[in-house]
Amino acid sequence: MQGISGMLQLGLLLGLQLGLEVALPPPCDSQIYCTGELLRQVQMAKLYQDDKHFVDMPLTKDPDQVLSDFNELFNSSGGNISRDLLKTFVNEHFKDPGQEMETWIPEDWKASPRFFQNISDTRLRAWAEDLHNIWKKLGRKIKLDVSDQPDRYSLIYAAHPFIVPGGRFIEFYYWDSYWVMQGLLLSEMAATVKGMLQNFLDMVKHYGHVPNGGRVYYLQRSQPPLLTLMMDRYLAYTNDLAFLRDNIETLDLELVFWMRDRSVNISHKGEHYVLNRYHVPYGGPRPESYSKDEELAELLPEDARESLWTELKAGAEAGWDFSSRWFVGSNYLLDIKTSQVVPADLNAFLCQAEELLANFHTKLGNMTMAQYYLEAQAQRKAAMKALLWNETLGSWFDFHIETRKQNHAFYPSNLSPLWAGCFSDLDTVRKNIKYLEDNKIFTYRHGIPTSLQISGQQWDFPNAWAPLQDLVVKGLADSGSAQAQEVAFQLAQNWIQTNFALYQKNKAMYEKYDISIDVAEPGGGGEYEVQVRTHAAQHQLATLGPPASGFTLLRQKDSAWECLALSWYIHWTYI
């Protein structure tokens, strides 16, 4: 479960070199949820509007019995099962998604966390109260039957309750949870954070990494590695060194996964560097997007389809599913080459993790491991400077392995080394501010665009996403530059205004926003409709009316940062 064996990797490499079609293993062993004729028949019949619906459905019988009954139906129908018969079969053998979990109200939720006192504006405070109340709607606890009969579920059992994104995403997700935890800590809910952390640590112990999300079909892909940062944020709030001591080896183990299964060696100007990429060498369409992947692959020769499916999975592992960042030679999804990109943000996250792990081991008295991580980080910084940094343009950029060139298109992730603290001097900060100016990013009044490329994908223009605002704003704010802090404050105010205005209008938060127009609207594009996670109950906000002319939405910076944190950290849960 902890990665493809060396022999299998060698076989895949030889097959690719010989131009042979390579049969890759499925994303999990389940003949129902990850591969097989039953999965293909149901998903291609499009019994449900969203492919994810079917693979989230629990079984009413043991999987062997379900497969036996399906094979009998398949054979009696001569392999041509009518849609009605297929629907009847599913209704008899599966239950609706979500029944394997129960709603859970976090025990550490409190009505009036301290940060409310720092928000002087009545409109913003009322909004923050509404958002804080939503934690009670997003808590989930997995029923014990999932642990007792795991083969009947696609859900991965987690012992501790957690916060879900909501909408179509009814299980835990990896990198989403970092921003969820930030909001929880602001709401003084450290016990909930500790339980979620323990779930992820348990996943690393069992699988060797944190899966993309809480389903078996996500098992062989991860997401941006923020587990060490999650631990750091929890420790900053609690100083729970005993928890760190109990789990430090597990944090080490996650870094082993990324260096063993997601690293790439690059020779450049006579030097050899090791950096990381997203790479998921497992076959078949993504079960949760099966019909879309299958239909896209039909546009390619049969021997090119497995490669496409692996690149789609890698794009999902990146968290940016999908974006022109991963396309080579065009703006079309068919040309996705995620595994051929060395991403600036992934390497910034790992650079930060290496520094944090050095600090953790120092606190625990293990100076040998602390020195190991400091040396690893120094090597990564040198590699990032050589391959990702561009002195002329004044920022970092993704590096294409095949073309051996940087991708000079604008993405907020280009500035992620600032957010991660992986830079050496304030002049670097100044250059990145000029980079934003050169790309006219400050002209977008509703938020920082995800890119300047129009591809039809959700992680491109004109969408703006909360975590990407965080990457830029917090990176600038924490840089130590007074100029950068002023820029960060203005960008933060823009984002607050966008979220607040649409919340007043619709009483809802959205996962992404279209920031290309005069009045921001919910975003679009990609594989599914923009997620409206929940509509707020009628509240005093509805009676306050719009801000007066000339109203300064954020009146003082202390209040700004408190409300900013809650708004986008909870916003990132796709409420």
Side-chain angles (χ1 to χ4, degrees), residues 146-159:
V146 178
S147 177
D148 296 338
Q149 301 188 86
D151 290 345
R152 288 194 174 199
Y153 301 91
S154 66
L155 190 68
I156 301 171
Y157 182 74

Side-chain angles (χ1 to χ4, degrees), residues 451-462:
S451 79
L452 301 179
Q453 311 293 314
I454 299 175
S455 69
Q457 299 302 322
Q458 63 174 347
W459 289 85
D460 271 316
F461 191 84

Side-chain angles (χ1 to χ4, degrees), residues 389-434:
W389 174 255
N390 188 297
E391 182 66 24
T392 301
L393 298 178
S395 195
W396 297 268
F397 297 92
D398 297 341
F399 181 84
H400 286 179
I401 298 171
E402 288 182 342
T403 65
R404 307 190 67 77
K405 294 180 180 179
Q406 294 174 343
N407 177 5
H408 291 158
F410 171 79
Y411 302 99
S413 52
N414 293 345
L415 280 73
S416 55
L418 291 184
W419 182 86
C422 285
F423 64 98
S424 55
D425 56 65
L426 290 182
D427 193 48
T428 301
V429 181
R430 180 189 61 77
K431 291 173 182 176
N432 274 274
I433 293 173
K434 185 177 185 301

